[in-house]
Amino acid sequence: MIIVLRSGATQEEVDEVVERLKRLGFGAHVSRGVERTIIGAIGDERGVNLEEKIGVLPFVEKVIPVLAPYRLASREYQKTDTVVKVGNVEIGGGKLVFVAGPCSVESEEQVVETAVRVKEAGAKILRGGAFKPRTSPYSFQGLAEEGLKFLAKAREVTGLPVVTEVLGVEELPLVARYADMIQIGARNMQNFRLLEAVGKLRKPVLLKRGMMSTVEELLMSAEYILVQGNYQVVLCERGIRTFEPSTRNTLDLSCIPLVKMQSHLPILADPSHGTGRSDLVEAMSLAALAAGADGLIIEVHPNPIEALSDGPQSLTPEQFNHLMKEIKKLAATMGKEV
């Protein structure tokens, strides 16, 4: 349920609603707008008539049922777009943001060089994997804390905030010490204990859609984070598994406007994982932005042929620079700022 307070509601009145909800067994999420304050009632509404218990208060304008199973993530709960701040970078709110870097951190020289090059081209956030979930146990698994230290060094050199993936609850404290944003990968989208843990962390989260997950399941996973009090969630469409064998995944462009209609959370697109082919990244990047994505996350490597992971889908710094020039042309026609 959403409880809308009348214009000019005082802090004492807000506190009274929150306290009443607690006594009824509900949590409460308070969102203050320019003209109205709304409170999301979090809990099982069966057997409790909030219209009778809360709606009768003189400073309550109305009580609205939320039809979507995801409540805090829904447009019904919040009409305005959420803007998530990562370091000094804002994701959402109309300005396009680009996240770039190698799939795996392989050395300090590699990640620092890449960071410098992608920043020059227009990237605002550095991505890089220190812990790598791989299909094969024999594949490169990442450098762990050493890789995190290399990312921190790249941030020191360039000023770019860092996003990196965490694989489990046990690594979360370590990753959180180094990262400005925590990535939940596709394989962990429904790792509910991990979602709850990052929800309690209060650090920005990049939540990737599972390769066989629906849009509703993606938003329900975001809800696990939001309900813990962390409202800094950015979604990511990174392709879903279909019967098409010529690409690694199928980048679901329809997901982007669908999320925009159903949720206030910002969404990025990942054309690197979405296609698995560097020669398709530029076309799908432009298409994703035209579909309404708030930005992109793209894999860039100084020498993709020798990359320890995901070389075939990685752009060279030169290719990324060219892509950013094309993006600026598109952004100008869309009235978007890069």
Side-chain angles (χ1 to χ4, degrees), residues 61-102:
E61 184 172 297
K62 54 187 172 181
V63 177
I64 307 171
V66 177
L67 300 179
Y70 41 89
R71 301 177 186 179
L72 300 180
S74 73
R75 279 280 181 198
E76 294 171 288
Y77 176 70
Q78 181 175 314
K79 299 295 184 184
T80 58
D81 291 339
T82 287
V83 176
V84 174
K85 194 165 185 180
V86 185
N88 60 353
V89 178
E90 292 185 344
I91 303 176
K95 186 174 182 179
L96 302 177
V97 172
F98 303 95
V99 184

Short mmCIF file of all heavy atoms in Angstrom, two decimals, residues 61-102:
data_model
loop_
_atom_site.label_atom_id
_atom_site.label_comp_id
_atom_site.label_asym_id
_atom_site.label_seq_id
_atom_site.Cartn_x
_atom_site.Cartn_y
_atom_site.Cartn_z
N GLU A 61 -4.18 11.87 2.82
CA GLU A 61 -5.02 12.20 1.67
C GLU A 61 -5.69 10.95 1.11
O GLU A 61 -6.88 10.94 0.82
CB GLU A 61 -4.18 12.87 0.60
CG GLU A 61 -4.97 13.33 -0.61
CD GLU A 61 -4.12 14.16 -1.55
OE1 GLU A 61 -3.65 15.25 -1.15
OE2 GLU A 61 -3.91 13.71 -2.69
N LYS A 62 -4.90 9.87 0.94
CA LYS A 62 -5.47 8.63 0.42
C LYS A 62 -4.52 7.47 0.64
O LYS A 62 -3.31 7.65 0.86
CB LYS A 62 -5.78 8.77 -1.07
CG LYS A 62 -4.62 9.21 -1.94
CD LYS A 62 -5.05 9.48 -3.36
CE LYS A 62 -3.92 10.10 -4.18
NZ LYS A 62 -4.32 10.39 -5.57
N VAL A 63 -5.08 6.27 0.60
CA VAL A 63 -4.32 5.03 0.69
C VAL A 63 -4.53 4.28 -0.62
O VAL A 63 -5.68 3.99 -0.99
CB VAL A 63 -4.76 4.17 1.89
CG1 VAL A 63 -4.00 2.86 1.91
CG2 VAL A 63 -4.56 4.94 3.19
N ILE A 64 -3.45 3.98 -1.31
CA ILE A 64 -3.54 3.40 -2.66
C ILE A 64 -2.93 2.00 -2.66
O ILE A 64 -1.77 1.83 -2.26
CB ILE A 64 -2.78 4.27 -3.68
CG1 ILE A 64 -3.26 5.72 -3.61
CG2 ILE A 64 -2.94 3.72 -5.08
CD1 ILE A 64 -2.42 6.67 -4.43
N PRO A 65 -3.66 1.01 -3.11
CA PRO A 65 -3.07 -0.32 -3.25
C PRO A 65 -2.09 -0.36 -4.41
O PRO A 65 -2.33 0.25 -5.46
CB PRO A 65 -4.27 -1.23 -3.52
CG PRO A 65 -5.29 -0.32 -4.10
CD PRO A 65 -5.09 1.02 -3.47
N VAL A 66 -0.96 -1.03 -4.22
CA VAL A 66 0.02 -1.20 -5.30
C VAL A 66 -0.28 -2.53 -5.97
O VAL A 66 -0.22 -3.59 -5.33
CB VAL A 66 1.46 -1.18 -4.75
CG1 VAL A 66 2.45 -1.43 -5.87
CG2 VAL A 66 1.74 0.15 -4.08
N LEU A 67 -0.58 -2.49 -7.26
CA LEU A 67 -0.96 -3.71 -7.96
C LEU A 67 0.25 -4.56 -8.32
O LEU A 67 0.16 -5.78 -8.38
CB LEU A 67 -1.75 -3.34 -9.21
CG LEU A 67 -3.05 -2.55 -8.97
CD1 LEU A 67 -3.74 -2.23 -10.30
CD2 LEU A 67 -3.99 -3.32 -8.06
N ALA A 68 1.39 -3.93 -8.59
CA ALA A 68 2.59 -4.68 -8.96
C ALA A 68 3.12 -5.45 -7.75
O ALA A 68 3.07 -4.95 -6.62
CB ALA A 68 3.67 -3.73 -9.47
N PRO A 69 3.63 -6.68 -7.97
CA PRO A 69 4.19 -7.44 -6.85
C PRO A 69 5.43 -6.80 -6.26
O PRO A 69 5.77 -7.01 -5.10
CB PRO A 69 4.50 -8.81 -7.47
CG PRO A 69 4.65 -8.53 -8.93
CD PRO A 69 3.69 -7.41 -9.23
N TYR A 70 6.15 -6.01 -7.08
CA TYR A 70 7.28 -5.23 -6.59
C TYR A 70 6.71 -3.86 -6.22
O TYR A 70 6.09 -3.18 -7.03
CB TYR A 70 8.37 -5.10 -7.66
CG TYR A 70 7.84 -4.87 -9.05
CD1 TYR A 70 7.60 -3.60 -9.54
CD2 TYR A 70 7.54 -5.95 -9.88
CE1 TYR A 70 7.08 -3.39 -10.81
CE2 TYR A 70 7.03 -5.76 -11.15
CZ TYR A 70 6.80 -4.48 -11.60
OH TYR A 70 6.28 -4.29 -12.85
N ARG A 71 6.86 -3.46 -4.99
CA ARG A 71 6.19 -2.26 -4.51
C ARG A 71 7.09 -1.04 -4.58
O ARG A 71 6.77 -0.04 -5.21
CB ARG A 71 5.69 -2.50 -3.09
CG ARG A 71 4.72 -3.67 -3.02
CD ARG A 71 4.27 -3.97 -1.62
NE ARG A 71 3.48 -5.19 -1.58
CZ ARG A 71 2.95 -5.72 -0.48
NH1 ARG A 71 3.15 -5.13 0.69
NH2 ARG A 71 2.25 -6.82 -0.53
N LEU A 72 8.22 -1.10 -3.90
CA LEU A 72 9.11 0.06 -3.85
C LEU A 72 9.74 0.37 -5.20
O LEU A 72 10.14 1.50 -5.46
CB LEU A 72 10.20 -0.16 -2.80
CG LEU A 72 9.72 -0.37 -1.36
CD1 LEU A 72 10.91 -0.59 -0.44
CD2 LEU A 72 8.88 0.81 -0.89
N ALA A 73 9.85 -0.64 -6.05
CA ALA A 73 10.45 -0.43 -7.37
C ALA A 73 9.46 0.07 -8.40
O ALA A 73 9.85 0.44 -9.51
CB ALA A 73 11.08 -1.74 -7.87
N SER A 74 8.19 0.12 -8.06
CA SER A 74 7.15 0.38 -9.05
C SER A 74 6.94 1.87 -9.33
O SER A 74 7.20 2.72 -8.47
CB SER A 74 5.83 -0.23 -8.60
OG SER A 74 5.28 0.52 -7.54
N ARG A 75 6.43 2.16 -10.50
CA ARG A 75 6.02 3.52 -10.85
C ARG A 75 4.82 3.96 -10.02
O ARG A 75 4.62 5.15 -9.80
CB ARG A 75 5.65 3.59 -12.32
CG ARG A 75 6.80 3.72 -13.27
CD ARG A 75 7.32 5.13 -13.34
NE ARG A 75 8.44 5.20 -14.28
CZ ARG A 75 9.30 6.19 -14.31
NH1 ARG A 75 9.20 7.17 -13.45
NH2 ARG A 75 10.29 6.20 -15.19
N GLU A 76 4.03 3.01 -9.56
CA GLU A 76 2.89 3.36 -8.71
C GLU A 76 3.38 3.99 -7.42
O GLU A 76 2.77 4.92 -6.89
CB GLU A 76 2.07 2.10 -8.40
CG GLU A 76 1.39 1.50 -9.61
CD GLU A 76 0.79 0.15 -9.27
OE1 GLU A 76 1.56 -0.81 -9.09
OE2 GLU A 76 -0.44 0.06 -9.17
N TYR A 77 4.50 3.48 -6.91
CA TYR A 77 5.04 4.00 -5.66
C TYR A 77 5.74 5.33 -5.88
O TYR A 77 5.60 6.27 -5.10
CB TYR A 77 6.00 3.00 -5.04
CG TYR A 77 6.67 3.53 -3.80
CD1 TYR A 77 5.93 3.73 -2.64
CD2 TYR A 77 8.00 3.89 -3.81
CE1 TYR A 77 6.52 4.26 -1.51
CE2 TYR A 77 8.60 4.42 -2.68
CZ TYR A 77 7.85 4.60 -1.54
OH TYR A 77 8.43 5.14 -0.42
N GLN A 78 6.54 5.42 -6.96
CA GLN A 78 7.29 6.65 -7.22
C GLN A 78 7.19 7.01 -8.69
O GLN A 78 7.64 6.25 -9.55
CB GLN A 78 8.76 6.48 -6.82
CG GLN A 78 9.62 7.72 -7.03
CD GLN A 78 11.03 7.54 -6.52
OE1 GLN A 78 11.25 7.05 -5.42
NE2 GLN A 78 12.01 7.96 -7.32
N LYS A 79 6.60 8.14 -8.99
CA LYS A 79 6.41 8.58 -10.38
C LYS A 79 7.69 9.12 -10.99
O LYS A 79 7.96 8.93 -12.17
CB LYS A 79 5.32 9.65 -10.44
CG LYS A 79 3.95 9.18 -9.97
CD LYS A 79 3.37 8.11 -10.87
CE LYS A 79 1.97 7.73 -10.44
NZ LYS A 79 1.43 6.62 -11.25
N THR A 80 8.48 9.84 -10.20
CA THR A 80 9.69 10.47 -10.73
C THR A 80 10.83 9.47 -10.81
O THR A 80 10.91 8.52 -10.02
CB THR A 80 10.13 11.65 -9.85
OG1 THR A 80 10.33 11.18 -8.51
CG2 THR A 80 9.08 12.73 -9.84
N ASP A 81 11.72 9.67 -11.78
CA ASP A 81 12.85 8.77 -11.96
C ASP A 81 13.84 8.89 -10.81
O ASP A 81 14.16 10.00 -10.37
CB ASP A 81 13.59 9.08 -13.27
CG ASP A 81 12.77 8.72 -14.50
OD1 ASP A 81 11.85 7.90 -14.36
OD2 ASP A 81 13.07 9.25 -15.58
N THR A 82 14.32 7.76 -10.35
CA THR A 82 15.38 7.75 -9.35
C THR A 82 16.72 8.08 -10.00
O THR A 82 17.01 7.63 -11.11
CB THR A 82 15.46 6.37 -8.67
OG1 THR A 82 14.34 6.21 -7.80
CG2 THR A 82 16.74 6.21 -7.85
N VAL A 83 17.52 8.87 -9.33
CA VAL A 83 18.88 9.17 -9.76
C VAL A 83 19.83 8.57 -8.74
O VAL A 83 19.74 8.87 -7.55
CB VAL A 83 19.12 10.69 -9.88
CG1 VAL A 83 20.57 10.98 -10.25
CG2 VAL A 83 18.18 11.30 -10.92
N VAL A 84 20.71 7.71 -9.20
CA VAL A 84 21.66 7.03 -8.31
C VAL A 84 23.03 7.68 -8.47
O VAL A 84 23.53 7.86 -9.59
CB VAL A 84 21.75 5.53 -8.65
CG1 VAL A 84 22.85 4.85 -7.82
CG2 VAL A 84 20.40 4.85 -8.40
N LYS A 85 23.63 8.04 -7.35
CA LYS A 85 24.93 8.71 -7.38
C LYS A 85 26.04 7.72 -7.03
O LYS A 85 26.02 7.10 -5.97
CB LYS A 85 24.95 9.89 -6.41
CG LYS A 85 26.13 10.83 -6.64
CD LYS A 85 25.93 12.16 -5.93
CE LYS A 85 27.05 13.14 -6.27
NZ LYS A 85 26.88 14.44 -5.60
N VAL A 86 27.02 7.60 -7.93
CA VAL A 86 28.19 6.74 -7.74
C VAL A 86 29.41 7.64 -7.72
O VAL A 86 29.82 8.15 -8.76
CB VAL A 86 28.31 5.69 -8.86
CG1 VAL A 86 29.47 4.74 -8.57
CG2 VAL A 86 27.01 4.92 -9.03
N GLY A 87 29.97 7.84 -6.54
CA GLY A 87 31.01 8.86 -6.43
C GLY A 87 30.40 10.20 -6.79
O GLY A 87 29.40 10.62 -6.22
N ASN A 88 30.96 10.87 -7.80
CA ASN A 88 30.41 12.15 -8.25
C ASN A 88 29.62 12.02 -9.54
O ASN A 88 29.32 13.00 -10.21
CB ASN A 88 31.54 13.18 -8.44
CG ASN A 88 32.56 12.71 -9.47
OD1 ASN A 88 32.50 11.59 -9.95
ND2 ASN A 88 33.49 13.58 -9.81
N VAL A 89 29.29 10.78 -9.91
CA VAL A 89 28.58 10.49 -11.16
C VAL A 89 27.13 10.14 -10.86
O VAL A 89 26.84 9.32 -9.99
CB VAL A 89 29.25 9.33 -11.92
CG1 VAL A 89 28.47 9.01 -13.20
CG2 VAL A 89 30.70 9.65 -12.23
N GLU A 90 26.20 10.77 -11.59
CA GLU A 90 24.78 10.48 -11.43
C GLU A 90 24.28 9.63 -12.59
O GLU A 90 24.54 9.93 -13.75
CB GLU A 90 23.98 11.78 -11.36
CG GLU A 90 24.24 12.59 -10.10
CD GLU A 90 23.36 13.82 -10.00
OE1 GLU A 90 22.76 14.21 -11.03
OE2 GLU A 90 23.26 14.38 -8.89
N ILE A 91 23.57 8.55 -12.24
CA ILE A 91 22.96 7.67 -13.23
C ILE A 91 21.46 7.86 -13.17
O ILE A 91 20.84 7.70 -12.13
CB ILE A 91 23.32 6.19 -12.98
CG1 ILE A 91 24.84 6.00 -12.97
CG2 ILE A 91 22.68 5.30 -14.03
CD1 ILE A 91 25.28 4.58 -12.64
N GLY A 92 20.86 8.21 -14.32
CA GLY A 92 19.45 8.55 -14.36
C GLY A 92 19.27 10.05 -14.43
O GLY A 92 20.24 10.82 -14.33
N GLY A 93 18.05 10.48 -14.64
CA GLY A 93 17.78 11.91 -14.66
C GLY A 93 18.03 12.57 -15.98
O GLY A 93 18.09 13.80 -16.06
N GLY A 94 18.23 11.81 -17.05
CA GLY A 94 18.33 12.40 -18.38
C GLY A 94 19.71 12.43 -19.00
O GLY A 94 19.84 12.48 -20.22
N LYS A 95 20.76 12.40 -18.18
CA LYS A 95 22.11 12.42 -18.73
C LYS A 95 22.62 10.99 -18.93
O LYS A 95 22.47 10.15 -18.05
CB LYS A 95 23.06 13.18 -17.79
CG LYS A 95 24.46 13.37 -18.36
CD LYS A 95 25.30 14.26 -17.47
CE LYS A 95 26.68 14.49 -18.07
NZ LYS A 95 27.51 15.37 -17.24
N LEU A 96 23.19 10.71 -20.10
CA LEU A 96 23.68 9.37 -20.40
C LEU A 96 25.02 9.13 -19.72
O LEU A 96 25.90 10.00 -19.71
CB LEU A 96 23.83 9.19 -21.92
CG LEU A 96 22.55 9.40 -22.74
CD1 LEU A 96 22.84 9.27 -24.22
CD2 LEU A 96 21.47 8.42 -22.31
N VAL A 97 25.19 7.93 -19.16
CA VAL A 97 26.41 7.58 -18.42
C VAL A 97 27.00 6.31 -19.02
O VAL A 97 26.27 5.36 -19.34
CB VAL A 97 26.11 7.36 -16.92
CG1 VAL A 97 27.32 6.82 -16.21
CG2 VAL A 97 25.65 8.66 -16.29
N PHE A 98 28.32 6.30 -19.15
CA PHE A 98 28.99 5.17 -19.77
C PHE A 98 30.02 4.55 -18.82
O PHE A 98 30.86 5.25 -18.25
CB PHE A 98 29.64 5.61 -21.08
CG PHE A 98 28.62 6.20 -22.02
CD1 PHE A 98 28.41 7.57 -22.07
CD2 PHE A 98 27.80 5.38 -22.76
CE1 PHE A 98 27.43 8.11 -22.88
CE2 PHE A 98 26.80 5.90 -23.56
CZ PHE A 98 26.62 7.27 -23.63
N VAL A 99 29.88 3.25 -18.67
CA VAL A 99 30.74 2.45 -17.79
C VAL A 99 31.58 1.57 -18.70
O VAL A 99 31.04 0.88 -19.57
CB VAL A 99 29.90 1.58 -16.84
CG1 VAL A 99 30.78 0.83 -15.86
CG2 VAL A 99 28.85 2.41 -16.12
N ALA A 100 32.88 1.59 -18.53
CA ALA A 100 33.74 0.83 -19.44
C ALA A 100 34.97 0.31 -18.72
O ALA A 100 35.41 0.87 -17.71
CB ALA A 100 34.15 1.70 -20.63
N GLY A 101 35.52 -0.78 -19.26
CA GLY A 101 36.71 -1.37 -18.69
C GLY A 101 36.79 -2.84 -19.04
O GLY A 101 35.90 -3.38 -19.72
N PRO A 102 37.82 -3.51 -18.59
CA PRO A 102 38.01 -4.91 -18.96
C PRO A 102 37.08 -5.85 -18.21
O PRO A 102 36.65 -5.55 -17.09
CB PRO A 102 39.47 -5.17 -18.56
CG PRO A 102 39.71 -4.24 -17.41
CD PRO A 102 38.91 -3.00 -17.74
#
